[in-house]
Amino acid sequence: MASHLSIGIVGLPNVGKSTLFQALTKKQVDCSNYPFTTINPNVGVVEVPDPRVDVLAQLTGSARKIYETVEFVDIAGLVKGAHQGEGLGNQFLSHIRETVAIIYVLRAFKNSDIINTRNVVDPVGEKEILDTELVLKDMETVRKRIESVGGEARSGKKEAQKEAELLLKIKAVLEKGEILAEKDFSEEENQILKNYQLLSLKPRLCFLNAKEEESEQEAKEVFRKNNWPFLIVDVLEELGAAGFTKEERQSLGLPADSGLDLLIKQAYSLLNLITFFTTVSQQVQAWQIKTGTKLARAAGTIHTDFETHFIKAEVINYKDLVAIGSFALAREKGLIRTEGRDYVVQDGDVIEIKHGA
């Protein structure tokens, strides 16, 4: 089974959030490939586009292709004051906790027929509202945790003291209205922070809903200057063209690559992920892992027993395999390497795990 990430789609009312979700779920995969996946009305599992899967399937004569997936969650529209329960408030924020990253849908289009609750087209301002609500909710979480760990810290427990010190550091950042995802923390601090599911610690991608030509240059400069990852896509246009091939898109005067595919790829890379492949039993499958993952841990992505009983693996990178044309020729030319458990997997590696399970 391919695993999938869960990414929340958030935004103010009438910014195109639900239209984006509708366009994405037109690309929803057949869930029979992914057992135990429950699809609710507000959740859609979408394939991560990767032409390498298609090429490998053709090269190996594989009948079945399984791509990596991303789960998009359409979260109820946020309003100012959500952290205090305004609108759907806490329900909205609790749904964000369950995701690993967030897409901010921001209104950058100027269609006056669609009610604008802010009476101004201001994607930067909308981003700041969303940021503020996440920060304020995190402040509430951190204050409660400081109170609960305070007694243990005062009694001299070292772990509690370490945690209390980090919480005070986090509190100082949040009090300045700053986003935790934009700060650097040590590996040890990140391990502690994971326990809190802090909202502003999640990576964010800003999705400016507009045609490129109608989006304000000034707003784009602000995003670039601050190194905020962003993408400009006309959601209505993409909804109308969802499911079209590259050739069909080009015949309509649209870019060959859809904005939705770009969104999926960028959301995927936002989390510092790479892909490796397996070609077993007439099936090519893509697997997602964090950059820097060692081979035994990567094997555990396929099955936990593969990590526990890992022996070795045969590895060739996709580019080398495609250039030589077949596994047989690659083996003949010595391009397939035997690697041990501490080998760091590279993006595009094609791997055959040897295990004693």
Side-chain angles (χ1 to χ4, degrees):
M1 179 181 102
S3 59
H4 54 253
L5 305 169
S6 182
I7 296 178
I9 301 173
V10 304
L12 301 180
N14 296 342
V15 297
K17 181 174 61 65
S18 294
T19 308
L20 171 60
F21 182 77
Q22 188 182 346
L24 283 167
T25 52
K26 277 195 171 187
K27 298 165 66 64
Q28 187 165 304
V29 300
D30 176 1
C31 298
S32 62
N33 278 346
Y34 309 99
F36 315 117
T37 299
T38 300
I39 303 300
N40 295 318
N42 62 335
V43 177
V45 177
V46 179
E47 286 177 346
V48 176
D50 195 330
R52 293 175 296 182
V53 172
D54 305 314
V55 173
L56 284 172
Q58 189 173 6
L59 186 145
T60 59
S62 296
R64 193 175 184 214
K65 299 180 286 188
I66 299 183
Y67 301 84
E68 260 304 349
T69 59
V70 176
E71 179 182 87
F72 287 101
V73 184
D74 182 19
I75 296 170
L78 177 143
V79 296
K80 202 169 183 178
H83 73 285
Q84 297 173 319
E86 295 294 328
L88 289 174
N90 290 325
Q91 182 184 343
F92 164 90
L93 294 163
S94 68
H95 286 158
I96 295 180
R97 288 197 197 284
E98 304 305 314
T99 65
V100 295
I102 304 169
I103 293 173
Y104 282 0
V105 181
L106 308 172
R107 180 171 179 151
F109 62 87
K110 298 173 181 175
N111 186 345
S112 58
D113 292 336
I114 299 174
I115 295 169
N116 186 342
T117 57
R118 300 190 65 236
N119 298 316
V120 63
V121 176
D122 179 18
V124 175
E126 286 186 11
K127 177 193 172 295
E128 288 171 353
I129 290 172
L130 297 173
D131 280 347
T132 299
E133 292 303 318
L134 301 194
V135 164
L136 291 171
K137 193 63 179 179
D138 283 350
M139 279 289 295
E140 186 183 306
T141 301
V142 168
R143 284 196 189 107
K144 286 178 181 175
R145 186 58 193 161
I146 288 173
E147 288 173 15
S148 64
V149 81
E152 290 181 32
R154 287 190 293 273
S155 70
K157 289 187 178 179
K158 289 187 177 179
E159 288 303 312
Q161 288 173 342
K162 193 182 295 181
E163 184 179 350
E165 187 179 324
L166 175 58
L167 286 165
L168 290 172
K169 176 180 173 180
I170 295 299
K171 182 170 176 280
V173 172
L174 294 171
E175 283 175 342
K176 294 176 188 173
E178 295 176 346
I179 288 290
L180 297 176
E182 294 172 359
K183 302 297 175 183
D184 291 323
F185 298 101
S186 69
E187 190 174 331
E188 184 182 17
E189 287 174 331
N190 277 319
Q191 285 302 314
I192 297 172
L193 289 174
K194 274 182 186 177
N195 299 321
Y196 311 141
Q197 291 186 298
L198 295 170
L199 306 179
S200 72
L201 195 58
K202 297 179 186 294
R204 297 153 303 143
L205 171 64
C206 295
F207 183 99
L208 278 62
N209 183 11
K211 296 181 187 296
E212 176 67 44
E213 60 270 18
E214 72 174 333
S215 56
E216 294 287 346
Q217 189 61 36
E218 188 178 339
K220 288 185 281 191
E221 286 304 319
V222 172
F223 280 88
R224 290 191 188 103
K225 181 181 173 184
N226 287 283
N227 293 316
W228 296 333
F230 75 99
L231 195 61
I232 302 169
V233 177
D234 181 349
V235 176
L236 273 178
E237 189 175 83
E238 290 297 333
L239 177 61
F244 286 10
T245 64
K246 289 189 177 188
E247 292 74 21
E248 288 168 338
R249 289 180 61 86
Q250 287 175 314
S251 71
L252 294 169
L254 300 172
D257 291 322
S258 80
L260 300 181
D261 282 351
L262 294 174
L263 168 65
I264 294 165
K265 287 177 184 176
Q266 201 161 334
Y268 191 75
S269 65
L270 186 68
L271 292 156
N272 199 25
L273 296 168
I274 61 171
T275 301
F276 74 92
F277 304 96
T278 55
T279 58
V280 181
S281 303
Q282 292 290 295
Q283 176 175 295
V284 173
Q285 184 155 356
W287 304 90
Q288 63 187 208
I289 53 172
K290 285 276 190 185
T291 300
T293 300
K294 291 183 179 179
L295 187 49
R297 177 60 61 86
T301 305
I302 302 170
H303 196 291
T304 50
D305 286 349
F306 289 7
E307 180 176 1
T308 308
H309 303 285
F310 179 88
I311 298 173
K312 61 182 179 180
E314 291 190 342
V315 181
I316 182 171
N317 195 267
Y318 166 84
K319 290 179 182 176
D320 295 330
L321 178 58
V322 171
I324 199 72
S326 73
F327 278 105
L329 279 172
R331 198 175 298 280
E332 186 183 310
K333 297 290 184 182
L335 296 176
I336 298 178
R337 313 181 310 276
T338 298
E339 299 286 1
R341 63 186 308 111
D342 290 330
Y343 167 74
V344 176
V345 177
Q346 302 299 305
D347 184 55
D349 277 350
V350 183
I351 299 173
E352 183 181 352
I353 308 293
K354 307 290 185 182
H355 57 88

